[in-house]
Amino acid sequence: MSAGPYNYSYIFKYIIIGDMGVGKSCLLHQFTEKKFMADCPHTIGVEFGTRIIEVSGQKIKLQIWDTAGQERFRAVTRSYYRGAAGALMVYDITRRSTYNHLSSWLTDTRNLTNPSTVIFLIGNKCDLEGQRDVTYEEASKFAEENGLMFVEASARQMGNRGDNVEEAFLETAKKIYQSIQDGRLDLNAAESGVQHKPSQPGRNNLSADQQASKDNCAC
Amino acid sequence: MVFQKIFCQQRKLSVTNLQYSLKADGKEADIILSTNKPHNFSILELHAISEFLRKPYPMVDNTESSIDLSPVLDLCSQLSLVNITGSFNHYLHSNIVLNKLSFEFSPFKNLKFLNMKNVALDTIFSLGNLRSTLERLNVDNTNATSVCQILQCDVIHKYNLEGSQKWDRLETLNLSNNNLTEIDNTISLVPRLKNLILNNNKLSSISNLSDLSNLSYLSLCKNLITICNDLHTKVGNILTLNLSQNNIVTTKGFSKLYSLENLDLSCNKITDISEIQYLGDLPCLENLVLTGNSVATTVDYRIKILEFFGERAKDICLDNEKPCQSELDKVSLLRALRIVKEGKTPNLTSSFNQ
């Protein structure tokens, strides 16, 4: 209990975007629950997940907004770009159309987030090598041209490639943390997508605060 | 000519009125501009200015001295905060009804805040460039029944959305105390809207808000809202939602509004404590108000509500009051008892938090 859910110093907000059926919810599930969800229902509007990770010895809570890929929810999911510190843009390596739509996803991301938002491109379902429709080189070139970080991953396959799911979330966090260290990301800006939490006392733990102030007074 | 009519019937009145404003404008314009208070306009003044602008210029009144309008227009073009109050009664002892006089906003080039009270919207024949400068609009006490009557008050074919009708900079829209019956699709003409306040209207549903990707504050106090299903598909990344004084019976529709931080459901019709359980999974919720519901009179009400939030109970400010330690202890006890009773292991959602 003492290592409760408030023992972290930052909150980073992520958004996962991409066409319908590319496996956004499965990536989230894999990352937060470490399980593959075989029959994942269509997301209605938005789903949510959290996990606490560690970057450079700092505990960071990731708040992840998993948006619906269906066109009919596009308007409502657009609002979640606001205040996202990281955006995971997902396509399906077995369906070229999902790759072709990346530029429109990227435009949305660039328009609706702030310049310091880290964008990570994920080619999902790389366990289905036989059905591959987009080569690694092609996507890698696209990522490079647009200044995105890129990885191919599989939410289904744990082990070598499944780890890439983990890597995508962690690398994004590292880059955001780096921006904070460099002072490029303003923690006080409302839409930065990053909140700093004083790590020690639970912020609403009145008795602890009072205790602390008493200690300070007894000088 | 309405304007001449004023002159004939109310010559003295109208002229003094204008001269008053002229004087103020010529000498005190700088003072008006330097104070950060909204300048009050009467409908009569606005009407007179509008009529002047329609005339060949300069207009010289036969009997009175000529009136130079340039200081007035100069002031208008620089004003950023304006209050307008209308009236449906006869003006003083005349037969003039202020809200029948038409006026326009084209002299205002730099207006950021506009507050209109008790105004007849159909008398506004042009919004000038209000759509590209205004940041905050309050429209109070009109008989408008739909949003289009306000946002498209100068447009003949309402509901017909055109890009040129967009309110490019408007961020706060307060349409309280009108007779709005629905939020129609003209609300999407305000793409940058952050705060929407529609208190005291006759709204029965929440609709057409999904296009507003910046909306973070929504207040719908004192309306007729009964059912709110799947709110997360209707409003996106919202932080504050005020639905006090409606007819809501359950919180089911709020269960996926994960971004919500403040929720006011006071004075609704929630009777059963289990109807609150859907709020338990909202990860960002900090302030919850449930007073004025019959559920708030249940025995051990606070503890039962706080129990839904599990580990987060200590962060929930319920009815403007943080839980005290004894309440938190009881919540932990209740949770433990429940686990024993139901014979299931605790839900280890926090397993990653260690």
Side-chain angles (χ1 to χ4, degrees), chain B residues 25 31 107 156 172-173 184 243 345:
Chain B
D25 299 335
I31 301 169
I156 297 166
T172 301
L173 181 60
D184 61 71
L243 283 166
T345 49

Side-chain angles (χ1 to χ4, degrees), chain B residues 97-293:
Chain B
V97 176
L98 285 181
N99 280 357
K100 286 189 175 161
L101 303 178
S102 62
F103 61 99
E104 58 158 339
F105 284 99
S106 60
F108 298 93
K109 306 293 183 199
N110 204 17
L111 206 57
K112 292 194 164 58
F113 170 86
L114 175 62
N115 189 6
M116 289 198 280
K117 204 169 188 174
N118 210 1
V119 166
L121 294 155
D122 49 356
T123 58
I124 301 170
F125 62 88
S126 165
L127 286 170
N129 61 354
L130 231 54
R131 283 194 170 88
S132 51
T133 62
L134 209 63
E135 289 168 9
R136 199 186 159 129
L137 173 64
N138 291 354
V139 179
D140 210 306
N141 266 305
T142 68
N143 48 13
T145 55
S146 71
V147 181
C148 72
Q149 289 172 320
I150 295 163
L151 294 178
Q152 293 186 311
C153 58
D154 57 337
V155 179
I156 297 166
H157 300 289
K158 301 198 195 311
Y159 293 110
N160 209 350
L161 309 186
E162 277 176 33
S164 60
Q165 296 169 8
K166 282 212 166 117
W167 295 72
D168 294 321
R169 301 178 76 166
L170 196 61
E171 291 187 345
T172 301
L173 181 60
N174 186 343
L175 306 181
S176 297
N177 310 316
N178 292 295
N179 286 312
L180 304 178
T181 54
E182 61 153 355
I183 309 172
D184 61 71
N185 63 349
T186 44
I187 196 78
S188 58
L189 289 170
V190 199
R192 292 181 61 173
L193 198 61
K194 283 184 182 166
N195 309 304
L196 179 59
I197 301 137
L198 299 169
N199 299 342
N200 197 11
N201 279 290
K202 298 195 168 68
L203 301 167
S204 54
S205 67
I206 299 173
S207 54
N208 289 308
L209 296 179
S210 58
D211 284 331
L212 304 176
S213 58
N214 290 311
L215 191 67
S216 59
Y217 181 100
L218 177 62
S219 183
L220 293 162
C221 295
K222 235 182 155 193
N223 276 286
L224 306 169
I225 294 167
T226 312
I227 300 161
C228 355
N229 286 336
D230 288 336
L231 277 180
H232 67 290
T233 63
K234 292 172 183 156
V235 286
N237 200 352
I238 197 155
L239 304 181
T240 301
L241 187 53
N242 190 343
L243 283 166
S244 81
Q245 302 184 66
N246 281 284
N247 301 319
I248 294 164
V249 293
T250 176
T251 63
K252 209 167 184 174
F254 299 77
S255 62
K256 287 189 170 182
L257 222 46
Y258 298 117
S259 55
L260 207 56
E261 291 177 3
N262 311 298
L263 177 61
D264 190 339
L265 286 172
S266 56
C267 304
N268 275 283
K269 305 244 157 74
I270 305 172
T271 51
D272 193 354
I273 213 117
S274 65
E275 298 295 352
I276 308 293
Q277 63 178 315
Y278 308 100
L279 303 178
D281 289 331
L282 299 180
C284 304
L285 194 67
E286 288 181 353
N287 294 297
L288 174 63
V289 186
L290 293 169
T291 44
N293 286 283

Side-chain angles (χ1 to χ4, degrees), chain A:
Chain A
M1 244 357 144
S2 59
Y6 285 92
N7 198 8
Y8 52 83
S9 33
Y10 291 95
I11 297 178
F12 290 179
K13 289 195 181 179
Y14 280 18
I15 179 171
I16 312 181
I17 47 170
D19 275 12
M20 179 174 130
V22 297
K24 296 180 293 298
S25 300
C26 289
L27 285 171
L28 173 67
H29 200 74
Q30 177 64 261
F31 180 69
T32 57
E33 310 287 320
K34 301 192 170 143
K35 277 185 210 132
F36 177 65
M37 202 166 26
D39 277 318
C40 184
H42 285 306
T43 305
I44 310 292
V46 70
E47 280 298 334
F48 178 82
T50 58
R51 184 176 147 188
I52 293 188
I53 57 162
E54 206 172 302
V55 172
S56 312
Q58 291 280 5
K59 285 227 166 69
I60 294 168
K61 182 174 188 173
L62 299 184
Q63 281 189 349
I64 307 153
W65 304 94
D66 167 31
T67 64
Q70 280 170 288
E71 187 60 38
R72 67 187 173 115
F73 293 119
R74 190 68 82 88
V76 87
T77 57
R78 269 204 181 106
S79 64
Y80 290 95
Y81 288 85
R82 163 164 53 89
L88 306 182
M89 196 163 70
V90 188
Y91 71 98
D92 175 353
I93 67 153
T94 68
R95 281 191 295 147
R96 176 155 280 277
S97 62
T98 66
Y99 173 79
N100 292 340
H101 291 155
L102 286 179
S103 54
S104 94
W105 287 109
L106 189 60
T107 314
D108 261 9
T109 315
R110 290 260 152 86
N111 287 343
L112 296 164
T113 59
N114 53 55
S116 58
T117 301
V118 175
I119 308 172
F120 204 109
L121 180 63
I122 302 175
N124 195 23
K125 309 195 189 177
C126 71
D127 53 307
L128 304 172
E129 190 59 50
Q131 299 166 42
R132 180 184 282 277
D133 205 8
V134 182
T135 64
Y136 179 86
E137 288 72 27
E138 187 182 359
S140 173
K141 192 161 161 262
F142 173 82
E144 202 176 310
E145 281 166 2
N146 291 287
L148 315 174
M149 299 199 281
F150 170 60
V151 77
E152 279 192 355
S154 165
R156 182 197 302 242
Q157 201 177 46
M158 275 309 279
N160 47 4
R161 285 291 181 87
D163 292 342
N164 283 352
V165 176
E166 195 92 357
E167 189 195 318
F169 284 87
L170 294 183
E171 287 300 317
T172 308
K174 276 184 198 162
K175 191 139 186 217
I176 296 166
Y177 188 69
Q178 193 60 47
S179 306
I180 298 170
Q181 299 301 91
D182 299 349
R184 269 178 291 142
L185 200 147
D186 180 10
L187 285 177
N188 297 321
E191 311 288 83
S192 70
V194 176
Q195 281 171 278
H196 187 58
K197 300 271 171 191
S199 57
Q200 247 317 304
R203 64 204 146 118
N204 300 317
N205 197 336
L206 273 175
S207 55
D209 285 349
Q210 281 160 358
Q211 196 59 50
S213 59
K214 260 183 215 158
D215 289 351
N216 290 341
C217 289
C219 46

